[in-house]
Structures are given as C-alpha cells and as structure tokens.
C-alpha cells in the first residue's frame, strides 16, 4: 500500500511542478500587473503544497511548519507587491491630472 501512496505523491508532485511552470509563465508574460501578482501568489501557494506533499512523502512532520512559514512569507510578499502597484498607479493618475490642468490653463 505504501508503494501506491509513493506513486500517487510522485504523480501529484509532477502535476504541481507543471502548475508551477504555468504560473511562472503567467507571472512573466501577464499583460497586466494584476496578472503578474496573481501568478506570484499562485507560485507561493503551489510551492507550499509541494512542501506539504514532500513532508507526507518523507514522513517528517516538522517540514509542515516550514510550509506554514513559507505561506506567511508568500502572503506578505503579495501584499507588498499589491501596495507598490497601487501606489504607482495613484502616482501616475496624479501626474495625468496635473498635466491636464496645465494644458487647460495654457
């Protein structure tokens, strides 16, 4: 029975690896910044899933703690990226409004 679980974990890890590759492609090619941020979030989630499956495969419980910490760091990274995106978009909008006001006065 353990052999079947080992094969199942291996197949699932390969599937997650393909998902990680697709998420990386979306993060690089994404036409918008929001697509890139979602891709980075998906990479973090799939990475944590891989760590948990490896913990089950190796039968080591402490590795799940590493996965939880990885999830927290990934979440914080996505929050920081979203804040940077929001602040740059707000700055662009203010710059466009200032240019419109200058054009209106001349």
């Amino acid at each position: 029975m353990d052999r079947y679980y080992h094969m199942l974990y291996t197949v699932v890890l390969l599937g997650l690896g393909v998902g990680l590759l697709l998420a990386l492609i979306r993060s690089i090619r994404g036409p918008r910044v929001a697509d890139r941020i979602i891709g980075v979030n998906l990479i973090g989630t799939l990475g944590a899933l891989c760590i948990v499956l490896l913990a089950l495969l190796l039968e080591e419980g402490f590795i799940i703690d590493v996965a939880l910490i990885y999830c927290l760091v990934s979440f914080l990274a996505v929050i920081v990226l979203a804040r940077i995106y929001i602040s740059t978009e707000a700055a662009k909008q203010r710059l466009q409004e200032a240019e419109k006001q200058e054009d209106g006065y001349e």
Side-chain angles (χ1 to χ4, degrees):
M1 192 64 150
D2 288 335
R3 193 177 114 205
Y4 295 119
Y5 278 122
H6 183 75
M7 287 179 12
L8 176 68
Y9 290 152
T10 305
V11 169
V12 171
L13 279 171
L14 287 174
L16 287 174
V18 170
L20 276 167
L21 182 65
L22 292 173
L24 180 65
I25 290 170
R26 174 51 62 191
S27 295
I28 293 171
R29 292 190 63 212
R32 297 181 307 218
V33 177
D35 293 332
R36 292 183 175 119
I37 291 173
I38 290 172
V40 169
N41 190 15
L42 185 60
I43 288 171
T45 302
L46 291 177
L49 275 171
C50 287
I51 293 171
V52 169
L53 279 175
L54 284 173
L56 291 173
L57 186 64
L58 298 173
E59 296 177 359
E60 297 289 342
F62 70 91
I63 299 176
I64 294 177
D65 297 334
V66 173
L68 288 172
I69 293 170
Y70 184 77
C71 284
L72 290 173
V73 170
S74 174
F75 174 72
L76 289 175
V78 169
I79 294 297
V80 167
L81 287 173
R83 298 273 265 171
I84 290 170
Y85 173 66
I86 289 170
S87 65
T88 56
E89 287 299 313
K92 284 180 188 177
Q93 188 176 15
R94 284 192 303 265
L95 183 62
Q96 288 175 352
E97 288 175 3
E99 288 176 356
K100 284 181 184 178
Q101 287 179 354
E102 286 177 6
D103 291 340
Y105 289 123
E106 293 180 22

